[in-house]
Amino acid sequence: MLMGLLALASYWLLRATPPAPEPQPERPVSGEPDYFMRRFSVKSFDLAGQLRAEVVGDEARHHPDDDRVEIDNARIRNLAESGAVMRATAHRVTTNADNTVFVLEGDAVVVREGGKSQAGDPLPRLEFRGDFLRVELEPVERVTSDHPVELLRNGDRITAQTLDYRGDQQIADFRGRVRVQLLPRTTP
């Protein structure tokens, strides 16, 4: 009789237990922002504790589908290992997941302060202006645009329809209608 009671209890327990959940198919990652930051400042440091980059903005949105971040009214400062300082501002900045590519839109300005190259050669101050600029920090410093741009260098002014500047070679390739205003150099 006890065995019958245990069998009945086991049967009842089996019937009362909910079924195992069905495996859910993976949902596609949404393009909608999954987090926001407002009136923020983010700083990153190297292993020695030295400041390497700072990003300040009014609002940032992270998009999980491609891991990009959009920043409104952004101000960016990057300090290279060589000590070179690059600053950038724009109405909107979009950056990739590892913060090596920045797309600046709306009154974009990128300034690379003058200084010395890793080889010790002097580097002039460069200022890029335009409505759209793309800045790549790795593998080499590069500024490109397929929109009209202006480059200021030691008082010289160059405007063009497109730009491709490679920092490692210190070469700027201008296309389209190019206008150049050069200041005379004085020799001591």
Side-chain angles (χ1 to χ4, degrees), residues 48-181:
Q50 298 296 316
L51 179 67
R52 286 293 167 223
E54 179 179 21
V55 179
V56 178
D58 289 348
E59 180 175 292
R61 294 167 299 283
H62 176 260
H63 296 267
D65 58 342
D66 56 3
D67 210 18
R68 77 183 186 281
V69 176
E70 293 178 341
I71 306 167
D72 295 335
N73 296 318
R75 294 171 305 285
I76 301 168
R77 187 169 61 132
N78 184 61
L79 293 97
E81 289 183 23
S82 65
V85 177
M86 182 181 284
R87 292 180 289 116
T89 60
H91 291 303
R92 173 171 288 167
V93 173
T94 305
T95 182
N96 63 349
D98 56 357
N99 293 320
T100 57
V101 178
F102 297 87
V103 176
L104 291 78
E105 300 173 279
D107 290 330
V109 177
V110 175
V111 176
R112 191 204 64 204
E113 296 297 339
K116 300 271 184 196
S117 71
Q118 290 182 348
D121 300 325
L123 293 174
R125 180 182 189 275
L126 296 176
E127 183 173 337
F128 303 90
R129 295 180 167 271
D131 197 47
F132 176 90
L133 295 172
R134 178 183 169 94
V135 178
E136 298 174 37
L137 300 177
E138 293 177 10
V140 295
E141 176 187 309
R142 190 170 185 178
V143 179
T144 59
S145 180
D146 57 357
H147 292 67
V149 294
E150 175 181 41
L151 171 63
L152 303 170
R153 178 184 180 265
N154 291 339
D156 299 336
R157 181 174 177 263
I158 303 168
T159 59
Q161 298 301 307
T162 67
L163 165 73
D164 185 355
Y165 172 78
R166 292 185 53 102
D168 61 334
Q169 300 172 353
Q170 297 186 32
I171 295 176
D173 183 15
F174 299 100
R175 304 272 172 141
R177 186 174 184 170
V178 179
R179 291 182 168 202
V180 180
Q181 178 183 10

Side-chain angles (χ1 to χ4, degrees), residues 19-39:
E22 296 280 329
Q24 297 291 330
E26 287 191 33
R27 294 186 300 174
V29 179
S30 170
E32 292 297 313
D34 61 348
Y35 69 81
F36 299 85
M37 292 187 290
R38 291 189 173 91
R39 291 181 294 283

Side-chain angles (χ1 to χ4, degrees), residues 1-11:
M1 188 177 223
L2 182 60
M3 290 300 280
L5 188 58
L6 284 175
L8 186 59
S10 296
Y11 177 74

